[in-house]
Amino acid sequence: MVFIRDPCGIACLIVTYGAVIYADYVVMRWIILTTMPVSIWAPFHVVLFNTVVFLLGMSHLKAVFSDPGIVPLPANRLDFSDLHTTNAGNIKTGNGNGNGHGSEWTVCTRCETYRPPRAHHCRICKRCIRRMDHHCPWINNCVGERNQKYFLQFLVYVGILSLYSVALILGSWIAPCTECNQNVIESQLRMIHSVILLLESALFGLFVTAIMVDQLHAILYDETAVEAIQQKGAYRPNRRKYQLLADVFGRGHPALWLLPCASLNHASRYHDTPLLSHDV
């Protein structure tokens, strides 16, 4: 379990859980209990909405505390003092394969260790991360080989929760409860909370949708955000899209890909070279 002590990331965690808790409070207190107290749909919405909240929280916690793929440091400190003067910051070792990436390992002069292909150094985590995509303050962690699945699940559940909240709010406005006795103050409070939640849901929904599209593009075209900035192109251009998705979500049935408790099956990865098998 890892936890990065970054003030910006911790603040984003507080904002994230504050927004989710507020959404749950408004939907339960001011939408369901106020506008459909005697409806048979009330318990259905209570169970379904809180199930999405639970899955969102579970996937987010796993993305926050999971090891994103930290490259372990050697037991005995290696001497790379002569490399600190280089401009590149890393030295390639091994043979390339001609596609701009190569199968070579590199040397990180900040971690002072060898790192496998596609690993990059994160200045916030202060470690090299395998298949690093980017450092996300909303999970206070890097998005890498071992937690990208949970990050994507978190984005999906935030999108579902935002859409669900908007649907409940609009439904309460379009078909108001005529049998509900509400005074003026309660009606005004419900309207204020509904408008705030509507704006919050729209903002977060559009935000996570944009990130989700970017993440899926990175997976399907096998190019992380770091590699896109470096303009390296697809890492394995001949891989099938399903195989690329399975590398992230695991070799289980696709119906289980959105379950935060499903195994990642890291042992099934067959491209990235294991750390202990590389002869440097």
Side-chain angles (χ1 to χ4, degrees):
M1 187 175 69
V2 298
F3 183 76
I4 310 302
R5 297 178 181 177
D6 176 47
C8 178
I10 294 175
C12 288
L13 293 182
I14 296 173
V15 171
T16 299
Y17 284 105
V20 173
I21 293 172
Y22 178 74
D24 194 39
Y25 162 73
V26 174
V27 169
M28 295 299 112
R29 171 65 179 85
W30 297 102
I31 303 298
I32 296 179
L33 294 180
T34 304
T35 63
M36 53 181 77
V38 295
S39 173
I40 59 173
W41 288 102
F44 171 80
H45 288 305
V46 169
V47 172
L48 184 59
F49 193 88
N50 283 282
T51 299
V52 177
V53 170
F54 173 77
L55 292 172
L56 184 156
M58 191 172 179
S59 60
H60 185 261
L61 287 174
K62 288 203 170 187
V64 171
F65 293 107
S66 292
D67 174 9
I70 297 175
V71 177
L73 296 176
N76 298 320
R77 200 71 172 179
L78 304 177
D79 184 15
F80 293 112
S81 58
D82 57 331
L83 300 181
H84 284 282
T85 58
T86 62
N87 294 326
N90 60 70
I91 303 298
K92 293 182 179 180
T93 63
N95 297 321
N97 58 13
N99 66 350
H101 291 284
S103 59
E104 62 278 298
W105 285 44
T106 56
V107 172
C108 177
T109 57
R110 283 169 285 189
C111 290
E112 295 188 342
T113 185
Y114 294 102
R115 60 188 179 189
R118 309 191 80 177
H120 299 277
H121 187 87
C122 175
R123 62 180 180 83
I124 299 177
C125 297
K126 296 181 174 60
R127 293 291 297 274
C128 288
I129 310 296
R130 292 173 66 108
R131 210 184 70 198
M132 174 183 170
D133 187 85
H134 69 287
H135 184 93
C136 179
W138 296 103
I139 63 171
N140 191 36
N141 201 357
C142 275
V143 177
E145 183 180 78
R146 296 181 182 272
N147 70 343
Q148 189 175 26
K149 169 184 177 176
Y150 301 127
F151 180 65
L152 264 170
Q153 289 174 344
F154 166 66
L155 296 178
V156 170
Y157 289 126
V158 170
I160 293 175
L161 199 70
S162 299
L163 188 62
Y164 200 173
S165 299
V166 171
L168 289 175
I169 292 171
L170 295 180
S172 68
W173 290 352
I174 295 173
C177 178
T178 57
E179 301 177 354
C180 300
N181 296 322
Q182 299 181 24
N183 56 43
V184 177
I185 296 179
E186 284 189 347
S187 298
Q188 292 177 345
L189 286 174
R190 182 174 67 84
M191 182 59 64
I192 292 173
H193 284 297
S194 297
V195 171
I196 294 175
L197 181 58
L198 184 65
L199 294 175
E200 175 193 314
S201 300
L203 178 63
F204 276 89
L206 293 174
F207 180 63
V208 300
T209 299
I211 300 178
M212 192 189 315
V213 170
D214 181 71
Q215 285 291 295
L216 289 175
H217 182 274
I219 294 172
L220 294 176
Y221 289 89
D222 204 19
E223 183 184 35
T224 65
V226 176
E227 293 165 349
I229 294 174
Q230 297 174 349
Q231 297 181 344
K232 289 187 174 182
Y235 193 78
R236 296 161 291 180
N238 298 323
R239 292 288 305 283
R240 293 175 54 194
K241 304 300 183 184
Y242 177 83
Q243 293 175 331
L244 293 171
L245 287 171
D247 280 351
V248 175
F249 289 99
R251 302 298 177 182
H253 194 277
L256 304 176
W257 283 358
L258 288 181
L259 292 180
C261 57
S263 173
L264 279 170
N265 293 330
H266 287 297
S268 64
R269 294 184 185 278
Y270 49 84
H271 177 76
D272 288 338
T273 308
L275 287 171
L276 298 180
S277 67
H278 186 76
D279 185 16
V280 296

